[in-house]
């Protein structure tokens, strides 16, 4: 069965620090990968997605992710985080009509 | 508001009672999904509709759960004879045809079973 793993359940950073959140998946075929974010008290919303083409994808709010097929990874990055990036981040893999989700990473940015 | 709307936002019920949640998707979206999310976990797929047709239902879903989308617009998710293990956030999401699984989520309906 396909699965998605997010290694860090909690990450605490200071403002202006660089961010990298890990996401690994298990699936040998063509993948569609997503990062969603859930800000406190808000609904899930799409940060970025990868379907094909350039493995480095850019999303909203300065986030980017790199698809590395050989490592089955799709890590999320941001060069300089802000307090407003405090949220929970979810990686997801498309399986047919549905999405398989990681357990999420709670990111806290200290001002 | 043109987003996905879910009601009620919170429901507290006693074990054994029935509960129903409603989801109003974005009007032009013909695909509608229900997910369940428990603390510390990502969303777990429950079922999805294309228009009024329920095309897939999770094997993990108990027979106590039923979902409908009678006119291809809003959807309801009913849980009969609730159990404490049903306590979770129930998420609805929608997307248009050809939307490549880019889902727009509602705020969710939180169920607490006492």
């Amino acid at each position: 069965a396909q699965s998605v793993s997010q290694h860090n359940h909690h990450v605490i950073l200071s403002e202006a620090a660089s961010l990298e959140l890990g996401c690994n998946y298990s699936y040998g075929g063509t993948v569609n990968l997503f990062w969603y974010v859930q800000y406190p008290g808000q609904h899930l919303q799409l940060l970025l997605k990868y379907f094909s083409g350039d493995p480095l994808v850019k999303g909203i709010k300065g986030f980017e992710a790199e698809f590395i097929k050989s490592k089955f990874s799709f890590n999320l990055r941001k060069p300089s985080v802000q307090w407003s990036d405090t949220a929970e981040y979810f990686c997801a893999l498309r399986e047919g009509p549905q999405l398989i989700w990681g357990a999420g990473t709670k990111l806290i940015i200290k001002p | 508001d043109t987003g996905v709307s879910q009601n009620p936002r919170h429901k507290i019920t006693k074990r054994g009672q029935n509960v129903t949640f409603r989801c109003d998707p974005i009007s032009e979206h013909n695909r509608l999904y229900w997910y369940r999310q428990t603390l510390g976990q990502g969303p777990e797929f429950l079922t999805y509709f294309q228009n009024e047709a329920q095309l897939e239902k999770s094997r993990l879903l108990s027979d106590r759960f039923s979902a409908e989308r009678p006119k291809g617009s809003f959807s309801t998710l009913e849980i009969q004879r609730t159990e404490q293990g049903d306590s979770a956030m129930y998420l609805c999401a929608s997307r248009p045809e050809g939307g490549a699984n880019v889902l727009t989520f509602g705020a969710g309906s939180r169920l607490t079973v006492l």
Side-chain angles (χ1 to χ4, degrees):
Chain A
Q2 297 172 46
S3 65
V4 175
S5 298
Q6 293 183 243
H7 315 295
N8 306 103
H9 294 294
H10 293 89
V11 173
I12 301 173
L13 294 173
S14 298
E15 275 195 312
S18 64
L19 170 71
E20 182 161 5
L21 301 183
C23 172
N24 286 91
Y25 64 91
S26 63
Y27 181 60
T30 301
V31 294
N32 295 158
L33 290 158
F34 305 80
W35 276 98
Y36 279 80
V37 61
Q38 188 167 26
Y39 297 103
Q42 296 189 27
H43 58 275
L44 281 161
Q45 53 189 288
L46 182 71
L47 261 184
L48 48 80
K49 62 187 185 292
Y50 172 79
F51 290 162
S52 63
D54 188 344
L56 185 63
V57 292
K58 295 193 183 298
I60 60 172
K61 304 187 180 185
F63 286 90
E64 65 180 29
E66 185 174 14
F67 170 62
I68 303 179
K69 188 174 182 179
S70 61
K71 295 185 177 179
F72 298 92
S73 70
F74 189 56
N75 292 354
L76 181 71
R77 300 195 294 244
K78 185 170 184 179
S80 177
V81 294
Q82 301 173 306
W83 177 79
S84 58
D85 293 324
T86 294
E88 190 160 15
Y89 294 80
F90 293 92
C91 182
L93 166 72
R94 178 181 175 180
E95 180 185 58
Q98 59 169 290
L99 296 177
I100 308 298
W101 298 76
T105 298
K106 288 186 178 174
L107 175 65
I108 297 173
I109 306 300
K110 298 183 296 183
Chain B
D1 188 307
T2 58
V4 177
S5 177
Q6 293 188 245
N7 289 287
R9 293 291 307 279
H10 302 275
K11 178 71 176 179
I12 300 173
T13 191
K14 292 182 179 179
R15 190 175 54 186
Q17 298 295 304
N18 299 343
V19 296
T20 299
F21 300 114
R22 175 176 170 132
C23 172
D24 288 88
I26 293 172
S27 57
E28 59 267 29
H29 288 185
N30 70 338
R31 308 265 178 138
L32 185 148
Y33 297 74
W34 286 99
Y35 283 83
R36 175 173 62 192
Q37 186 177 19
T38 53
L39 202 61
Q41 299 296 320
E44 174 192 26
F45 171 77
L46 295 180
T47 189
Y48 99 99
F49 293 83
Q50 179 175 321
N51 299 311
E52 66 275 11
Q54 187 174 19
L55 296 188
E56 190 166 329
K57 188 175 175 180
S58 170
R59 289 188 297 273
L60 302 174
L61 205 57
S62 157
D63 289 344
R64 297 182 295 103
F65 287 70
S66 62
E68 294 183 341
R69 194 182 183 197
K71 297 182 180 178
S73 56
F74 73 91
S75 175
T76 57
L77 176 69
E78 182 182 18
I79 309 173
Q80 296 181 324
R81 305 181 303 282
T82 53
E83 302 173 356
Q84 287 184 325
D86 298 331
S87 295
M89 179 73 86
Y90 290 85
L91 300 171
C92 179
S94 68
R95 69 172 177 91
E97 184 75 33
N101 276 58
V102 177
L103 302 177
T104 300
F105 280 87
S109 293
R110 182 170 294 284
L111 174 64
T112 301
V113 182
L114 302 176

